[in-house]
Amino acid sequence: MLEQRKPITVAEAVQRVMLKEIPFKSESIHIEESLGRRLAEDLVATHPVPPFDRSPYDGFAVRSADTKTASRENPIDLRVTETIGAGSVQSVPVGEHEAARIMTGAMMPAECDAVVMLELTSEPEKGIMRIKRAFNKGDNISFKGEDAKEGTVLVQKGEMINPGTVALLATFGYEYIKVASKPVVGVLATGSELLEVNEPLEPGKIRNSNALMAASQIKRAGAEVKMLGKLSDDLEACYESVKQAMEEVDILITTGGVSVGDFDFLPEVYQRLEAEVLFNKVAMRPGSVTTVAHKNGKFLFGLSGNPSACYVGFELFTRPVIQRMMGNPKPHLPLEDAVLGADFTKPNPFTRFVRGTFSIQNGRLEASPSGFNKSSAVSSLAATNCFIVLPGGTRGFTAGDQVKVALLETTEGSEWSW
Amino acid sequence: MLEQRKPITVAEAVQRVMLKEIPFKSESIHIEESLGRRLAEDLVATHPVPPFDRSPYDGFAVRSADTKTASRENPIDLRVTETIGAGSVQSVPVGEHEAARIMTGAMMPAECDAVVMLELTSEPEKGIMRIKRAFNKGDNISFKGEDAKEGTVLVQKGEMINPGTVALLATFGYEYIKVASKPVVGVLATGSELLEVNEPLEPGKIRNSNALMAASQIKRAGAEVKMLGKLSDDLEACYESVKQAMEEVDILITTGGVSVGDFDFLPEVYQRLEAEVLFNKVAMRPGSVTTVAHKNGKFLFGLSGNPSACYVGFELFTRPVIQRMMGNPKPHLPLEDAVLGADFTKPNPFTRFVRGTFSIQNGRLEASPSGFNKSSAVSSLAATNCFIVLPGGTRGFTAGDQVKVALLETTEGSEWSW
């Protein structure tokens, strides 16, 4: 008996997934491991930056009042009290007509209010410095708090930690940081035709490219991978494997087996699991058979066995769940305007996600299909850094048309805006 | 005595670095570890994809000649020989007026030249399938080699491995892959004012943010980090540390100590090492004191002690060397056109690399300064995903001006085009 499935729109499908409660866990990690993780708490300035008035140059800290009459014709000489190196503090007060030699980054002496750069001074005799112009209060000082004031939220919870964030974490002494835990995503493949990557080709068989591809997409999305091997051809064994896998992971991905063929066991497995099937048909190409089920707070993503369809299904449905589990308020692929760089003449009954390559040309995004465009295509995926999103009900597109592109190789995200 | 340094242009400085011989090493790694690495050899299709003619649907493999007269009024019945599952091959020939039940991905029987989708057939009696329209030779077949022909270079040496590349590597049975080795980059900090991240703040001191920031930039650039601690305040010990470090790493970064202050030991260390100083002053802001030296095929990057200057110096000079060591033919930050999103009114004697945030607005790049813009600034770095490159000799810019931006959070690169 042939099951009749009712396709829903991509937007409706994404919504059904994202409206489920998505759990969030955090953990504490060392700063050296923090790059690329997402903050589980706001990064707050725990002290002003700089923490004290300091000199941005090598030179002399002076009392500006002492310099008021200095000029080329009437140079002023000041007695040098001491040298304040970076990291040191003054040991004696700087009195009238005195100055302190000061290094870049060193704390200003309390009595001084300006810095004179070394190259503007001379040393007429040992212990005396001479200047030939006046300085104003505040000249050449890096003021306490000018970079950041104490208590300011500098980076918000949910943001990804980049090298600049690491610099801030170090500045404020966060040796350990609370970040979102990485969800563990299991990958189970189905398909009697699948050989392992290290097996020689046989007639009728192909190597399993989807599992390793999905594993890489999981890593790119920031999560941990658990490779769970291949499902058996036996329904009962299949059910047991999926049930077991659900215990071990936060999210389960299967590739293949979601169609309506005689050997597509997953629909039956979902039923036995008593999982809620959120949808099993989406009005899109490729990936129309993508199925998402949900059970006890965990998602099962039934991705297509076709490489391109599997790839698209992951990015549209699994990636945002992973991102949301890590607290990203913008979990979806960023969707941007672009100019189509080449004709795409296929008529389009459903929304189409053409694997594309975008580049920036004179400040504008331009995107072209990245190659062979069947659901089963694998060769074009290596050149793919975006999906060209072509709406359904259209009769093909020509170079120069305005299109939307969803960007893949980016640390940015977007709210749902499709 | 105050050393007079002669600034050179950024382009000249980059050229002096990149014209040195830059070593390349490769290693063999497992496919599961390959994401984000760079191929050390071309990825060639070792067989056609698909490797055989196959069915893209669940249905029946037929001989199109048998279907020529089929219509709604005159349906044609074909005897079903067997079921060919994915991964299996036919066991009996398909004769005239016969068909084979075939699953998605299964190999076509030799005698058949079209596939009829299951939903277009009926089963008037067991072992018989009925169709109501004619099919043509080639209908619904995924042809051998249609995705990729044997011998085609699918991904070139030097390209970064992404999830699509992994799918291809798996397809062709590359369990182990030759990739560029990751250079080991050592980080040594200088500065008596520096506390470790886990030390409490003291008067006159700040925590060392540069070393951990540079470590993160090294990782983002794809290399390995070796944290080497802090240089001593003693010149002799300093020299010994640098000399020792040079033995242990492929590239050595120091932060701070390259200025002309009394405690800036690095110029003296380069001299004692008999390293060739490629430049020690660049006509740019921030980072004008950035120094690059070279000895026995290894680079020493003397980055500024100021966070923003250190950050910029790394991305302009160190990143491309790391990328080139990994075989990237486009080792530099991609430089793109953008619209300036906010005024930047400071006059500009030298080329300025303003830490910026870009976004895409209606398909165009728009970039604005990401915050406080001194060489010593650290707070703005977390929001930085580009440098706004403002040429020297200008008197400030206003919102809406066309500018160039160098992108930081991207897996793309560019040849030098500045």
Side-chain angles (χ1 to χ4, degrees), chain A residues 32 58 87 146-147 162 171-173 175 197-198 205 207 219 261-262 337 363-365 374 378-379 382, chain B residues 32 58 101 146-147 162 171-173 175 193 197-198 205 207 219 261 337 363-365 374 377-379 382:
Chain A
E32 288 187 27
D58 276 350
E146 68 175 9
D147 191 352
N162 63 31
T171 297
F172 297 115
E175 186 183 10
V197 64
N198 55 5
K205 303 209 171 192
R207 293 194 191 88
K219 285 184 215 164
D262 297 1
D337 294 306
R364 284 167 178 271
L365 298 194
K374 276 194 184 172
V378 65
S379 64
Chain B
E32 289 188 26
D58 276 350
R101 176 87 173 88
E146 69 175 10
D147 191 352
N162 61 33
T171 297
F172 297 115
E175 186 183 10
E193 76 279 26
V197 64
N198 55 5
K205 303 207 171 192
R207 294 193 192 89
K219 286 185 214 164
D337 294 306
R364 285 166 177 271
L365 298 194
K374 275 193 185 173
V378 65
S379 64

Side-chain angles (χ1 to χ4, degrees), chain B residues 255-298:
Chain B
T255 67
V258 284
S259 225
V260 291
D262 298 1
F263 300 116
D264 289 318
F265 287 148
L266 281 164
E268 175 74 20
V269 167
Y270 298 141
Q271 208 165 24
R272 287 212 199 176
L273 280 173
E274 295 177 353
E276 180 192 3
V277 174
L278 305 185
F279 54 84
N280 59 16
K281 187 101 183 170
V282 187
M284 69 179 200
R285 292 283 183 277
S288 64
V289 296
T290 308
T291 299
V292 180
H294 190 257
K295 160 98 183 176
N296 292 345
K298 289 185 179 175

Side-chain angles (χ1 to χ4, degrees), chain A residues 212-290:
Chain A
L212 287 163
M213 178 183 76
S216 304
Q217 291 177 284
I218 291 165
K219 285 184 215 164
R220 182 167 68 178
E224 293 278 355
V225 179
K226 185 154 192 169
M227 296 299 274
L228 296 167
K230 223 182 75 175
L231 279 175
S232 148
D233 291 335
D234 173 69
L235 175 59
E236 184 61 32
C238 218
Y239 165 70
E240 290 299 334
S241 300
V242 171
K243 200 175 151 199
Q244 175 64 31
M246 294 286 288
E247 304 288 317
E248 297 170 20
V249 298
D250 298 306
I251 291 173
L252 182 63
I253 286 176
T254 53
T255 66
V258 283
S259 227
V260 291
D262 297 1
F263 300 116
D264 290 319
F265 288 148
L266 281 164
E268 176 72 19
V269 168
Y270 299 139
Q271 207 164 24
R272 286 212 199 179
L273 280 172
E274 297 179 351
E276 179 192 2
V277 174
L278 306 185
F279 54 84
N280 58 16
K281 187 100 180 169
V282 187
M284 69 179 201
R285 292 284 183 276
S288 65
V289 296
T290 307

Side-chain angles (χ1 to χ4, degrees), chain B residues 16-54:
Chain B
R16 286 192 192 175
V17 172
M18 300 306 282
L19 284 178
K20 288 284 161 193
E21 196 181 318
I22 296 179
F24 174 82
K25 281 185 282 188
S26 66
E27 61 185 334
S28 183
I29 59 162
H30 192 266
I31 187 171
E32 289 188 26
E33 307 301 323
S34 68
L35 184 71
R37 303 295 296 265
R38 287 191 181 272
L39 287 173
E41 56 192 356
D42 291 344
L43 194 170
V44 180
T46 55
H47 60 70
V49 181
F52 44 81
D53 290 353
R54 69 184 177 194

Side-chain angles (χ1 to χ4, degrees), chain A residues 2 4 30-35 46-47 49 51-52 54 56 58 83 85-89 101 103-107 118-119 141-143 146-148 154-155 162-175 191-194 197-199 201-209 212-213 215-217 219-220 227 259-264 306-307 311 315 336-338 358 360-365 372 374 376-385 407 409-412, chain B residues 2 4 30-35 46-47 49 51-52 54 56 58 83 85-89 101 103-107 118-119 141-143 146-148 154-155 162-175 191-194 197-199 201-209 212-213 215-217 219-220 227 259-264 306-307 311 315 336-338 358 360-365 372 374 376-385 407 409-412:
Chain A
L2 202 60
Q4 285 300 323
H30 192 265
I31 186 171
E32 288 187 27
E33 306 302 324
S34 68
L35 184 71
T46 55
H47 60 69
V49 181
F52 43 81
R54 70 185 177 194
D58 276 350
T83 296
S88 302
V89 291
R101 177 86 173 87
M103 299 296 150
T104 306
M107 187 170 173
L118 188 63
E119 44 275 50
I141 293 179
S142 286
F143 290 104
E146 68 175 9
D147 191 352
L154 294 174
V155 188
N162 63 31
T165 324
V166 171
L168 280 175
L169 290 167
T171 297
F172 297 115
Y174 289 87
E175 186 183 10
S192 322
E193 75 279 26
L194 298 182
V197 64
N198 55 5
E199 291 182 290
L201 223 50
E202 290 173 33
K205 303 209 171 192
I206 58 170
R207 293 194 191 88
N208 178 3
S209 59
L212 287 163
M213 178 183 76
S216 304
Q217 291 177 284
K219 285 184 215 164
R220 182 167 68 178
M227 296 299 274
S259 227
V260 291
D262 297 1
F263 300 116
D264 290 319
N306 274 323
Y311 189 101
E315 298 295 338
E336 307 291 356
D337 294 306
F358 84 90
I360 302 167
Q361 304 291 341
N362 303 318
R364 284 167 178 271
L365 298 194
F372 186 65
K374 276 194 184 172
S376 60
V378 65
S379 64
S380 53
L381 292 175
T384 294
N385 63 11
L407 308 187
E409 289 282 355
T410 170
T411 56
E412 302 291 315
Chain B
L2 201 60
Q4 284 302 320
H30 192 266
I31 187 171
E32 289 188 26
E33 307 301 323
S34 68
L35 184 71
T46 55
H47 60 70
V49 181
F52 44 81
R54 69 184 177 194
D58 276 350
T83 295
S88 302
V89 293
R101 176 87 173 88
M103 298 296 152
T104 306
M107 187 172 176
L118 189 62
E119 45 274 49
I141 293 180
S142 286
F143 290 103
E146 69 175 10
D147 191 352
L154 294 174
V155 188
N162 61 33
T165 323
V166 170
L168 280 174
L169 290 167
T171 297
F172 297 115
Y174 288 88
E175 186 183 10
S192 322
E193 76 279 26
L194 298 181
V197 64
N198 55 5
E199 292 183 289
L201 222 51
E202 289 173 34
K205 303 207 171 192
I206 58 171
R207 294 193 192 89
N208 179 3
S209 60
L212 287 163
M213 178 183 76
S216 303
Q217 290 177 285
K219 286 185 214 164
R220 181 167 69 180
M227 297 299 274
S259 225
V260 291
D262 298 1
F263 300 116
D264 289 318
N306 274 323
Y311 189 100
E315 298 295 339
E336 307 292 356
D337 294 306
F358 84 91
I360 303 168
Q361 304 291 343
N362 304 317
R364 285 166 177 271
L365 298 194
F372 187 65
K374 275 193 185 173
S376 60
V378 65
S379 64
S380 53
L381 292 174
T384 293
N385 63 10
L407 308 186
E409 289 282 355
T410 170
T411 56
E412 303 290 314

